[in-house]
Amino acid sequence: MTGFFRQQGTLACDGVPLSALASAEGTPLYVYSAATIVERYRAIDAAFASYPHSLHYALKANSTMAIARLLRSLGAGADANSGGEIDVALRAGFLPSQIVFTGVGKTWLELALAIDLGVATINAESEGEIERIDRLATARQTRARIALRVNPDIDAKSHPHISTGLKTNKFGMPMAAAKAICRRFSSAAGVEIVGLHVHVGSQITDLQPLRAAAEAVVRLARELRDEGLVIDHLDLGGGLGVSYDGSPVPGVQEYADALLTAVRESGLHLVLEPGRHIVAPAGVLLSRVIDVKEQPGGKLFVILDAGMTELIRPMMYGAYHAVEPVAPTAAAEITCDVVGPLCETSDTIGKDRRFPRPSVGDLFAIRDTGAYSAVMASNYNRRLMPAEVLVEKGGWSVIRRRQTIDDLLALET
Ligand code: LLP
C-alpha cells in the first residue's frame, strides 16, 4: 500500500511522518506521494491493456514540473489546456507529438504555437476555431491534426460547475452539427480531421453518462465512415471521480469495461485524459492550527494556516475533503468547524467534523488534495503560495519552494 497511513498513530506519507515534513518545510505544505501517482497511473493503463490506447495526463489537475516529469517518465502523454500548459509540458520533456491541446477558448497565439510545434491533436471546440486553425496552418503550408470536440447533451450528474456535457454548457459543438463540419473541412488545406473528442465533466462517479458519451461518439464515427470520412481516434476525455468521503465509487476496471464495451467494435485508437483520478488521493495539504475558538452552542472553530487560497474546492463546489489530525491525542472528541484564516465566511474547509479537542500548533492533514488544489491556489489577502514536496524512496524533495513576498511583488511597480 502506498500513500498516507498511520505509523504508531501518526500520519505518514510512504513512511515519512508528516510531522517531520512540517518541521523541515513549514506549513501550509502540499505533500505528494510519488509511489501513489505511479500506482494509480499504472492501474488505469493496465485496465485498458486489452485495447490500443494512450493516456494523456490532464495537466490542469496538477502541473507542478516534477509531477509532470514523473507522469512522462511513466509513459503518459499530456493534455494541455492553455499555452502555459503546453510550455510546461515541453519543459517537462513531453514531445509535441505527445501533447493534445484542449480548451474552450484558444487564442490565435495559442493556436499558432500548437500548429508550429505540431502537437498530436488540437481538440477543436467550434466551427470558428477550425476556420482559424485552417487559416493559420494554410499560411504555414502545413496541415494541423484536429479532433472535433462534440457536445453530446449528456448530464454527467456531477457538480453543475464541473459538468460540461449539456447543450447549455459552453463546451464543444452540437453532435448534429459535427457531420456538416466534417464535410465542410474534409478537403481543407490547413486541417485534417483525425478524431472525435468528448468530455462530459469531472468527478463523475456514475459510469452511465461516460458510457453514453462513448456510445454517442462511436455512433458519429460510424456515420462519418459511412460517408467516407475516416478518422483514426476517439478521445473520451477524463472525468473518472474519486471517493473524497469514503463512499463507494467505480474502480478503474469498471470504468475501462464501460468505455471499451462502447468503443471496441469501432477499432479506433482510444485516447483518454485522466487527471484527478491519478493525482487527487496522492496528495494532502498539511496545515497547522493557528487558533481555536469556542462557538456559541459548544462547537469549536479550528482556524488553520491554510484556507481557500490553498484549497478552493470546498467553497467553490461545496466539495468535501476529509480532515485528520496528524497526531491524535487522548483528548475528548468535540465537534469542530475547520476554517481558514481569510476574511471570508465561505473560507471554510469542513463543517461539523469530530476530532479530539485540537490545540494551537496541532497539525492537520486535508486529504485528497493532489488534484485541483495547488493549481487553483491564489494570492488573495497577499498570501504566499505554499511549498510542495514529493515523497519518494523514503525521502522527500521540495519540488516547488515557498513563494516569498519578493517573488510576489517582483511583477509590480
Ligand atoms: N479533459 C478535459 C477536456 C477536461 O476539461 C478535464 C477537466 C480533464 C480532461 C480532466 O478531468 P479529470 O480526469 O481530472 O476529471 N477544478 C475542478 C475540476 C475541473 C475539471 C476541468 N476539466 C475541481 O476541483 O473539481
Side-chain angles (χ1 to χ4, degrees):
M1 288 287 256
T2 64
F4 300 87
F5 293 99
R6 293 196 177 270
Q7 261 174 210
Q8 287 110 42
T10 297
L11 201 57
C13 176
D14 294 329
V16 177
L18 296 184
S19 49
L21 291 171
S23 305
E25 310 299 348
T27 56
L29 183 71
Y30 298 101
V31 180
Y32 308 117
S33 153
T36 303
I37 294 174
V38 172
E39 192 174 281
R40 297 183 71 85
Y41 174 82
R42 291 203 172 131
I44 301 186
D45 203 26
F48 285 92
S50 68
Y51 192 81
H53 69 280
S54 328
L55 303 181
H56 286 257
Y57 169 63
L59 285 170
K60 60 174 77 72
N62 186 325
S63 61
T64 305
M65 290 287 289
I67 305 286
R69 281 194 299 263
L70 175 60
L71 268 309
R72 184 189 55 79
S73 76
L74 299 174
D79 163 29
N81 199 70
S82 66
E85 285 188 351
I86 291 179
D87 275 330
V88 165
L90 294 172
R91 290 175 196 219
F94 291 95
L95 301 172
S97 60
Q98 295 175 303
I99 300 172
V100 297
F101 183 28
T102 319
V104 77
K106 307 181 191 76
T107 64
W108 285 98
L109 268 178
E110 288 174 318
L111 289 173
L113 170 72
I115 294 165
D116 288 338
L117 285 168
V119 298
T121 317
I122 302 174
N123 289 330
E125 296 260 351
S126 72
E127 190 160 6
E129 185 181 312
I130 302 174
E131 284 168 10
R132 289 188 286 279
I133 298 170
D134 189 28
R135 268 175 64 182
L136 287 166
T138 304
R140 289 161 165 76
Q141 294 182 315
T142 183
R143 228 168 160 216
R145 290 168 48 87
I146 67 168
L148 302 195
R149 176 165 185 181
V150 292
N151 182 319
D153 195 21
I154 285 172
D155 183 356
K157 296 185 211 137
S158 181
H159 190 279
H161 293 183
I162 51 174
S163 294
T164 52
L166 287 174
K167 64 176 179 218
T168 48
N169 300 143
K170 66 181 175 181
F171 299 93
M173 52 193 90
M175 293 293 278
K179 253 195 279 179
I181 293 174
C182 280
R183 259 181 245 126
R184 176 178 163 199
F185 288 95
S186 61
S187 51
V191 297
E192 185 187 359
I193 299 175
V194 294
L196 296 175
H197 178 232
V198 72
H199 171 84
V200 293
S202 191
Q203 184 51 19
I204 300 172
T205 53
D206 175 351
L207 293 176
Q208 198 278 329
L210 289 168
R211 187 184 308 119
E215 285 164 359
V217 289
V218 168
R219 214 175 305 125
L220 179 57
R222 195 182 311 126
E223 289 168 14
L224 291 174
R225 194 190 50 206
D226 292 346
E227 290 198 24
L229 301 164
V230 179
I231 56 167
D232 61 36
H233 75 271
L234 300 174
D235 180 340
L236 300 184
L240 181 60
V242 298
S243 179
Y244 286 98
D245 61 2
S247 54
V249 293
V252 284
Q253 196 58 59
E254 290 164 85
Y255 169 66
D257 292 346
L259 297 192
L260 290 179
T261 304
V263 168
R264 200 177 287 280
E265 61 82 43
S266 78
L268 292 167
H269 189 86
L270 177 61
V271 173
L272 295 166
E273 303 165 350
R276 183 193 316 267
H277 195 84
I278 298 173
V279 288
V284 302
L285 173 56
L286 194 54
S287 176
R288 228 177 252 290
V289 176
I290 299 177
D291 199 4
V292 177
K293 278 204 296 204
E294 305 277 346
Q295 297 185 31
K299 284 205 286 184
L300 294 182
F301 282 120
V302 179
I303 300 156
L304 299 181
D305 64 2
M308 60 182 269
T309 36
E310 292 72 35
L311 178 63
I312 203 168
R313 303 194 68 260
M315 76 170 286
M316 200 156 169
Y317 317 110
Y320 177 92
H321 282 263
V323 180
E324 291 179 36
V326 168
T329 63
E333 280 209 344
I334 182 160
T335 304
C336 303
D337 289 340
V338 182
V339 300
L342 287 106
C343 55
E344 303 248 354
T345 299
S346 56
D347 180 30
T348 296
I349 289 169
K351 283 185 98 71
D352 297 319
R353 307 295 176 90
R354 299 278 298 170
F355 308 116
R357 177 181 281 269
S359 304
V360 170
D362 285 358
L363 281 174
F364 276 82
I366 306 165
R367 300 293 294 254
D368 304 310
T369 49
Y372 303 114
S373 301
V375 281
M376 294 178 81
S378 82
N379 290 119
Y380 184 38
N381 285 196
R382 290 291 193 181
R383 287 169 58 77
L384 303 170
M385 299 273 184
E388 296 173 51
V389 300
L390 184 64
V391 174
E392 202 167 13
K393 300 185 184 104
W396 74 86
S397 43
V398 176
I399 58 171
R400 177 175 160 139
R401 70 164 168 79
R402 192 172 299 281
Q403 194 177 35
T404 65
I405 192 72
D406 290 328
D407 293 332
L408 188 58
L409 294 177
L411 307 176
E412 300 181 25
T413 56

